[in-house]
Amino acid sequence: MDSAPVASRPLDTRLVDAYLRRLGAEEPAWPTVDVLRELHLRHLRAVPFENLSVHLGEEIELEPARLVEKIVDAGRGGFCYELNGAFGALLAAVGFDVTLLAARVYGEQGRLGIPYDHLALRVRTVDAGDWLADVGFGAHSHYPLRWDDRAEQEDPGGAFRIVEAGPDAAGVKGGTGRAARRSEAADLDVVRNGSREYRLEARPRALRDFRAGAWWHRTAPESHFTKSLVCSRVTLDGGRVTLSGRRLKVTALDGTSEERDLATDEEVLAVYRERFGIELGEVPTVKPRGVA
């Protein structure tokens, strides 16, 4: 596996230690699959998937140290580029071999999104080969998925498969076929409960490659991140808690859920603080289109 750089400069000791404390984890002795699984689940529980910066007018800097500082110093989360960018930097800092991968997310009617639509991680362990790690896709697998396994992989988040991708809507096969398999360049589809979630390019990327995708998602009227507010994380019992604007939804592991609308700004700020550990001075709101 040819690795792309995950950081323009290594994380310093303070950031690594603070990041591990945020996750409630200790620095591992060896980069094993058990360590990867533990860190992956702890990240999903501790660091929320959220797009608040888009609506608070905050800059999003795709530089590893800045991403980690947002998590450990500001007590925040982020969306895929931020979460997987930071997590990849942490994994590299504690000894894992990490490759950044670009993906396009499946949308309505099976259409694929923009290039660099999503960032995921290919992680090599010392004892169990390569794994797909993704702590930045919202509702997804709780544990990393075995990279080379094409059978169904059971996970608390659902039944997953990683399969070779077919042609896209334009008829492009995305590098599949015998030559692509030899170079490990074939595109792969990640499938959850029978539905295709995103298409991975197996070619290594650098974090700076995702700047255009991040800019589009935080500025384009067509982006679902500019049209809605979300803050979500996995709960200790394996369920999920999500705040979408003023609607709080708590989902149990068995899929049952309870929802309620929060009436006041004080309630909203309290949920951000108590459910997600996020201290805000104001309630973020989705601005009407055309309002800067």
Side-chain angles (χ1 to χ4, degrees), residues 120-162:
L121 306 172
R122 182 174 178 177
V123 183
R124 175 164 293 173
T125 65
V126 295
D127 60 339
D130 290 4
W131 298 79
L132 173 64
D134 192 343
V135 296
F137 196 68
H140 193 62
S141 66
H142 293 195
Y143 296 102
L145 302 174
R146 186 179 291 277
W147 180 265
D148 292 321
D149 191 346
R150 298 294 173 258
E152 190 168 273
Q153 302 184 50
E154 290 294 335
D155 181 271
F160 290 83
R161 293 185 68 202
I162 300 175

Side-chain angles (χ1 to χ4, degrees), residues 54 286-292:
V54 173
V286 178
K287 295 178 180 179
R289 293 186 184 185
V291 177

Side-chain angles (χ1 to χ4, degrees), residues 7-12 15 63-70 73 89:
S8 56
R9 63 181 176 84
L11 298 182
D12 61 34
L15 288 178
E63 198 284 320
R66 301 288 83 78
L67 298 179
V68 175
E69 285 169 355
K70 181 177 179 180
D73 294 336

Side-chain angles (χ1 to χ4, degrees), residues 79 109 125 159 163 170 175 258:
F79 57 1
Q109 300 177 340
T125 65
V163 300
E258 296 182 359

